[in-house]
Amino acid sequence: MTDQGIEALGLRQSPEGGALIIDGKLVSQSVLADVAEKAAVLTARGMRPGLAVVLVGEDPASQVYVKSKGKAAESCGFHSIQHTLPVETPQADLVALVEALNRDPAIHGILVQLPLPRHIDATKVLETISPAKDVDGFHPVNAGLLAIGDIERALVPCTPAGSMILLQRAAKALKIDLAGRDAVVVGRSNIVGKPMAQLLLAQNCTVTLAHSRTHDLPAVVGRAEILVAAVGRPEMVLGEWVRPGALVIDVGINRVPGTGLDAQGRPKTRLVGDVAFAEAAKRAAAITPVPGGVGPMTIAMLMSNTLSAATRIAG
Ligand code: GUN
């Protein structure tokens, strides 16, 4: 494929040679532009997509995430509302709010930001969200639809859905057919690892779901033609484990000490993934960077899920 063809898919050659870099920021922009275009069509038909984000408490990281979700919703032309509740909100009040949003015809997507305060049973709250409005894809009905391979009807969790798009772009650029390939997912969370394994299975990959109890993880990773790392441990997957020619999707976003001090005199930090990027990029055929890989795709897929939910509710 020509360099222009590769760039049109959101990939670029790295200056040092080696792997193609999968640019999640670029791909997320194309997803968001597509969502905005389709949202405008729905809005013109009197069905403006609506997203409600619920934040309980004042966790600073959650405040940042929720703000960027609201901004993205507005940039897509959605009706966007945020409910911010005090940290001591009783569970019953939160459940009552979710039930009211379930009934609200202007709202097609409901997201309750996690983590919730400890006195609230997150599973109970997430199960209160109507599966049709569950744009996080965390409700057991959506997890079940994904598990039986009914991807058309499921709302799929945003991070694995975004990872899959990046993987498909890389496979297309490299003219690789995913079917029959050995895929290894490291990490078995309900939010990333398990749904990612289901999505890869739906693409006919031969899927291994590795985790903290897996024996000889380097050997398991070394078999992967497609590697997805989602463990939340900085640079745990070493470059030398990576199979030459592999497609590598790094879901991890870990803050680690950097060098020197920032403008306020505090020690600098930097973000790294779950994969030791520089060494892995020498062996992989394509790899996502951190930051700028999977991260930007998560919010883009939240908008895509909200659009899907609105489209289905509109019939
Ligand atoms: N907190 C961190 N990531 C997420 C997410 O994807 N969804 C929700 N609801 N909360 C989160």
Side-chain angles (χ1 to χ4, degrees), residues 97-221:
L97 171 62
V98 169
E99 285 169 345
L101 293 168
N102 284 340
R103 291 189 298 268
D104 186 342
I107 295 300
H108 309 96
I110 303 169
L111 181 141
V112 177
Q113 186 67 25
L114 302 177
L116 286 167
R118 263 188 298 178
H119 67 278
I120 293 177
D121 176 356
T123 304
K124 161 77 184 151
V125 174
L126 296 179
E127 289 183 10
T128 305
I129 298 173
S130 161
K133 297 189 177 185
D134 168 38
V135 284
D136 257 331
F138 295 166
H139 193 287
V141 165
N142 283 313
L145 287 168
L146 180 56
I148 63 171
D150 197 342
I151 291 175
E152 293 308 308
R153 274 202 300 157
L155 285 164
V156 177
C158 302
T159 300
S163 299
M164 202 64 219
I165 289 184
L166 296 182
L167 182 61
Q168 284 168 325
R169 296 270 189 127
K172 194 166 176 192
L174 291 160
K175 299 194 168 69
I176 289 173
D177 186 0
L178 296 181
R181 299 273 172 187
D182 275 317
V184 174
V185 179
V186 189
R188 57 175 154 179
S189 70
N190 290 332
I191 293 177
V192 184
K194 283 182 202 155
M196 189 72 218
Q198 308 281 12
L199 289 174
L200 290 162
L201 196 55
Q203 295 300 317
N204 301 307
C205 293
T206 303
V207 183
T208 301
L209 189 45
H211 48 78
S212 55
R213 304 287 291 271
T214 295
H215 291 175
D216 199 359
L217 185 61
V220 173
V221 167

Side-chain angles (χ1 to χ4, degrees), residues 53 55-70 82 84 113-114:
V53 179
L55 173 63
V56 185
E58 293 173 3
D59 176 66
S62 291
Q63 284 174 331
V64 172
Y65 287 136
V66 163
K67 197 169 161 198
S68 41
K69 287 168 186 175
Q82 183 182 328
T84 306
Q113 186 67 25
L114 302 177

Side-chain angles (χ1 to χ4, degrees), residues 13-32:
Q13 307 281 354
S14 81
E16 309 90 55
L20 286 174
I21 309 297
I22 311 169
D23 187 335
K25 194 139 192 240
L26 218 56
V27 177
S28 73
Q29 283 162 355
S30 82
V31 170
L32 288 170

